[in-house]
Amino acid sequence: MNKPLILVVEDDPSVRNLITTTLKTNDYRYVVAPNGSTAIMEATSHNPEIILLDLGLPDMDGVQVIQTVRSWSNAPIIVISARSEDNDKIHALDAGADDYLTKPFSVEELLARLRVTQRRLALMTAEMVTASSVFVNGKLKVDYAGGCAYLGEDELHLTPIEYKLLCLLSKNVGKVLTHTFITQNIWGRSWDNDVASLRVFMATLRKKLEPTEESPQYIQTHIGVGYRMIKVN
Ligand code: CA
């Protein structure tokens, strides 16, 4: 896998150093920006493949950076937030961020998120998800054109909502989808009731999809945030 160019947006010098040192020792190329306006400028001039974005910036809200960059770029954005910024993190995901890291994070976590994002990038580049009418992930196969899904040789018997959920997750494989994003896509609205129903549908979908409840292979829960389909190797 070619190492992508990463834009690091972080105003705190110690966190920025931790990130750039990690990137350097792992042969990633990077450019840095200490605030939002520089970030937008660097994103325009360097066209980075991945953006690591701190949400608490001195000159503007990180969500604003996402909205601006999203108007011309699909580059995956991983937001970095403090625990106190949980709501900001959800707004950031709804604004088009792909994933998040919560401070304080370890070097291993950072590298793991980058690997997930690179896999997603590889899929986006190959247009395997958008161009193909069949999605394959490990033993899971979703036939969008046929409107059915299989686990190995066995057809999954899904209700219409479970199938819609599976399609939405698989079309966004690798990306964290918020409860709001999912409920708006499934029901066209997002009420508290819908989030509660979503949990129920997700539980029944997983029962059919996951080999064991204890160690889910395909769908990851992000407590208080949403769900992500994992790209199985
Ligand atoms: Ca900050």
Side-chain angles (χ1 to χ4, degrees), residues 10-11 54 56 103:
E10 172 62 74
D11 60 316
D54 177 31
K103 285 179 191 177

